Amino acid sequence: MVDVIKNTQVHCTYGCKTSKAVQPNVAGKMISKAKRPLFIVGSQVLKDEELLKRTIEIAKKANLPVAATGHSISGMVDSGVNAKYINVHALATYLCDPNWQGLDGEGQYDTVIMLGHLKYYLNQVLSGLKSFSNLKSISIERHYVQNATMSFGNISPEVHIEALDELIENL
């Protein structure tokens, strides 16, 4: 038994893989360069009119398809945004399926952008994506989300709006 272990080479990375902090201008440029991005919007955007306004502006300026989760679809109606309702947990399962062709049937996504979710739900969704897909995930939430590929840090609501404005400028 010792000889088997001794002669076996193990190639693994130790430690946790956590998200890298990202500046708004860098996040904006990365979203612009993504080949097939998906903007996943949660119902928390409905709690703040300024946040909803920025959400719609991001989707329009970058021409992003929107996966409206929770009851966020009510904020997207008549906004001119390409939004479709879907449950966030079901969406996470679909995003991990290499055969899923997306909400529009045009193929897999390469990047997801998250805004308007409760942190404890979002972290679970992103944990699955991190473990079972090759998707890049960018959290532009007000709180740092450790299971995203990249995330804003912990910031106040006022600074969050400023960060979203800077992101919009760089789309």
Side-chain angles (χ1 to χ4, degrees), residues 26-35 37 58 62 64 111 113 138 140 167 171:
V26 175
K29 290 174 185 172
M30 292 187 73
I31 293 166
S32 294
K33 291 181 181 180
K35 289 183 174 93
I58 290 167
L64 296 173
T111 304
I113 303 97
I138 303 171
I140 55 174
L167 182 144
L171 289 173

Side-chain angles (χ1 to χ4, degrees), residues 52-53 55-57 59-60 66 72-83:
L52 179 59
K53 179 181 164 187
T55 302
I56 292 168
E57 195 171 343
K60 283 182 175 180
V66 175
S72 68
I73 191 73
S74 63
M76 306 290 150
V77 174
D78 299 326
S79 68
V81 171
N82 176 17

Side-chain angles (χ1 to χ4, degrees), residues 154-166:
N154 291 320
I155 50 181
S156 69
E158 297 79 23
V159 173
H160 186 223
I161 294 298
E162 292 172 13
L164 292 174
D165 286 340
E166 185 178 340

Side-chain angles (χ1 to χ4, degrees), residues 109-137:
Y109 301 102
D110 65 338
T111 304
V112 292
I113 303 97
M114 314 292 279
L115 180 62
H117 299 86
L118 295 171
K119 184 176 179 175
Y120 52 90
Y121 281 136
L122 184 57
N123 255 327
Q124 292 303 309
V125 168
L126 291 172
S127 176
L129 294 181
K130 178 172 72 171
S131 298
F132 301 107
S133 78
N134 293 322
L135 280 171
K136 288 181 192 167
S137 57

Side-chain angles (χ1 to χ4, degrees), residues 14-70:
Y14 295 96
C16 295
K17 182 178 175 185
T18 61
S19 67
K20 293 180 172 95
V22 66
Q23 293 296 321
N25 61 336
V26 175
K29 290 174 185 172
M30 292 187 73
I31 293 166
S32 294
K33 291 181 181 180
K35 289 183 174 93
R36 188 138 159 77
L38 177 65
F39 193 17
I40 305 173
V41 177
S43 59
Q44 297 301 301
V45 299
L46 300 176
K47 290 186 173 186
D48 181 347
E49 191 174 311
E50 290 300 312
L51 187 57
L52 179 59
K53 179 181 164 187
R54 289 346 182 262
T55 302
I56 292 168
E57 195 171 343
I58 290 167
K60 283 182 175 180
K61 187 162 183 186
N63 196 27
L64 296 173
V66 175
T69 67

